[in-house]
Structures are given as structure tokens and as C-alpha cells.
Amino acid sequence: MTYSESLGGLKVLITRPEKQSETLASMVRDLGGDAFDFPLLKVDSIKDELRISKLEEKLKKLSSYHKLIFVSKNAVTYGAEVISKNCPNLPTEVDVIAIGSSTAKVASEFFGCEVMHPMSGSVSEDLIALPCLANVKQKRIAIFRGTGGREFLAGSLIDRGAEVEYFEVYERSPTERGGHELLEIISEHDVNVLTITSGDSLRVLNKLFLESGNGSFDLFSIPIIVPSARVSLLAEELGFQKIKLAQGADTRATVSALHEVASEADKSDYNQRGIDLR
């Protein structure tokens, strides 16, 4: 294995929610890199009783929808939990659609059917380009997601004549850990690559850094991997200088982007005395 085929020398900060980082961390380590966890967001099921009640009422009519869209693995995981409780008989005459291949795999295991998904890319812009969503006039479409989030997908489907309903099955909240702890981990382990899975997690990262008040530490010069052009633009606006665009937020896309970072470092001879990408 040549250097550029491995991740040797990369010290990667993984910021995915707890219990969702191990696959990526294991792969980074198996490929010769080092991985360090610092979850920026917490993900949990909906707790508000009124939200739960409204969700349960909508789930009773799930069989009346023509298409079910899951925008993340969390949407499938938490969606499957509430669907199982409220829909003893899963709808069969319905298209199941996922944002990416990893989300599709989880959805397929739950529904026991083929799940459509973009063959490349795993953002809303890729999803809306699927042929199965081209002609949706007068179709009822359920979008399973967390609370809040982008309106692009729903707006695009409504513009095409669809009737869209959100099924918000989980919620996100910022980590309770502080900025000093974040910088301590980055400094102690000489982290030289940051990974981000969403605009929300990037905003939390930036907020923690600013709250730390450490003006002597240059977080913005560390290469950062982002999942979409939209998040890349946000990173640029916040001041990050070395932004690597991955083809989605899933493990495969992130590892591919890490390979590119390693390869670029190799070509620049950063590895002569051990990689220092900052």
C-alpha cells in the first residue's frame, strides 16, 4: 500500500453524533490513520408530547402516501421505531426513497423492499434529480427527517405539484462540551484534518472555537472535509482556508475525501517529517 492509498499520517477529528462515529473511526484506523471523537451534536427521539401526538396521528395514515423519503440514517432508525409502534402493517404499495446508499441499505432492511437512491452524491440536490421524483403531480409524499432542516427538497416537490408532509422523528441539540475541551483534543493529538457532516455541526464547531477565546490557535488553517457545496460555502464564509468537498456525509464519501487529502499532502511532500497539514 502506497502512502496515498493509506491514511497514514492523518489525525482525523470525527464530529459525528455519539454511537454514529465508530464505523468511520475504525476505517480510518484500519487504513493507517488516527481518529479522535468529538461529537458536536446529540441526536435523540422526539420528547415533546404534543409533537409525538401529532406524529402518531399522521402515522396512522401512512398507507395513503405514494412515496416515503428518508433524508438520513437517523430518519430511518428513529422512523422505523415510531412506524413499528403505530403501523402494524407496513405500507406495501409505496415507493421508498433514501438520500444515499447507506441510508437506503438501512431502509431496505426495515421495509424489506428495494429502496431508490441517487447513485452518486447524497444531498437533497441529488435526491430531487431522481427519475422517480420527476412526475409527482398530485402525489402524496412523506419526508422523514429531524426537527428543522432545509426546505429545499419539500419546496422542489411542491413546485412539481406534490402534496408534502414532514414526519419529524428525531431532534438534534448541540454538544454540552466546551470549546476549551475541543482545542485540547485537537492540540494534544495534533489533529490535522477535521470532518463535518452538516451545516449545523459546522456552526457548533465555529461557536465552540470562538467561545474558547484562544486567539493564538489557528483552527481555520486545518483542512476540513464537508459533505456538500452548501456547507463548503458556509465554511468559506466562516474563514476556513482548506476546504475539501466530499460527495456526501456517509462513511464512504468521507474516506474518499480523506484519501484525497492524504494524496495532496503526499504530493506536496508534507510527509517528509510526518504530515503537518495545519
Side-chain angles (χ1 to χ4, degrees):
M1 178 182 290
T2 64
Y3 175 73
S4 60
E5 292 174 339
S6 79
L7 298 180
L10 294 192
K11 300 179 180 182
V12 185
L13 186 73
I14 298 177
T15 61
R16 299 184 178 200
E18 290 183 10
K19 301 180 181 179
Q20 297 179 25
S21 63
E22 187 52 41
T23 300
L24 176 57
S26 295
M27 189 169 293
V28 169
R29 292 170 185 139
D30 289 345
L31 290 168
D34 294 311
F36 308 97
D37 290 336
F38 192 92
L40 292 172
L41 296 173
K42 295 185 294 182
V43 177
D44 203 352
S45 56
I46 300 295
K47 302 300 182 185
D48 182 79
E49 292 186 3
L50 181 58
R51 281 181 175 272
I52 293 173
S53 177
K54 290 182 177 180
L55 176 61
E56 290 175 344
E57 285 300 313
K58 288 191 291 186
L59 284 167
K60 293 176 181 178
K61 303 174 183 178
L62 194 62
S63 60
S64 68
Y65 287 83
H66 300 96
K67 301 178 188 292
L68 310 182
I69 298 178
F70 295 86
V71 301
S72 67
K73 285 197 290 186
N74 284 322
V76 179
T77 301
Y78 289 96
E81 182 179 340
V82 294
I83 290 173
S84 297
K85 290 180 180 178
N86 296 276
C87 305
N89 300 313
L90 292 177
T92 55
E93 300 299 322
V94 64
D95 292 334
V96 182
I97 305 167
I99 192 80
S101 58
S102 58
T103 301
K105 182 176 184 297
V106 179
S108 180
E109 291 171 354
F110 174 68
F111 284 98
C113 68
E114 179 183 358
V115 177
M116 291 166 279
H117 64 89
M119 298 308 295
S120 61
S122 55
V123 296
S124 296
E125 286 79 0
D126 301 312
L127 189 63
I128 197 65
L130 286 172
C132 61
L133 293 177
N135 184 13
V136 292
K137 188 174 182 179
Q138 297 183 338
K139 299 294 184 181
R140 300 194 72 202
I141 300 177
I143 298 179
F144 284 78
R145 69 172 193 172
T147 54
R150 296 180 69 195
E151 302 299 324
F152 172 80
L153 178 59
S156 299
L157 292 169
I158 291 171
D159 288 343
R160 295 177 182 182
E163 178 185 340
V164 179
E165 186 82 50
Y166 284 129
F167 286 67
E168 296 184 328
V169 294
Y170 66 96
E171 55 190 9
R172 296 172 292 258
S173 58
T175 180
E176 296 177 355
R177 301 168 75 175
H180 291 290
E181 187 176 355
L182 169 67
L183 294 192
E184 182 179 338
I185 289 175
I186 293 175
S187 299
E188 180 180 342
H189 299 291
D190 293 322
V191 166
N192 53 27
V193 185
L194 310 172
T195 64
I196 287 292
T197 56
S198 68
D200 286 341
S201 59
L202 179 56
R203 292 185 185 92
V204 173
L205 177 71
N206 184 63
K207 181 174 181 288
L208 290 177
F209 176 61
L210 295 178
E211 287 178 349
S212 73
N214 191 332
S216 63
F217 188 90
D218 190 5
L219 178 76
F220 300 104
S221 67
I222 303 176
I224 184 169
I225 293 175
V226 298
S228 68
R230 179 179 60 87
V231 181
S232 178
L233 179 60
L234 175 60
E236 185 177 346
E237 292 173 349
L238 292 175
F240 287 90
Q241 301 159 19
K242 301 176 182 177
I243 304 166
K244 172 60 64 176
L245 177 61
Q247 298 303 308
D250 57 80
T251 298
R252 182 172 60 180
T254 303
V255 170
S256 179
L258 285 169
H259 277 299
E260 292 181 22
V261 171
S263 179
E264 290 167 6
D266 196 13
K267 292 175 182 177
S268 301
D269 291 328
Y270 283 147
N271 61 332
Q272 289 181 357
R273 292 176 295 174
I275 286 186
D276 183 3
L277 297 177
R278 287 182 286 166

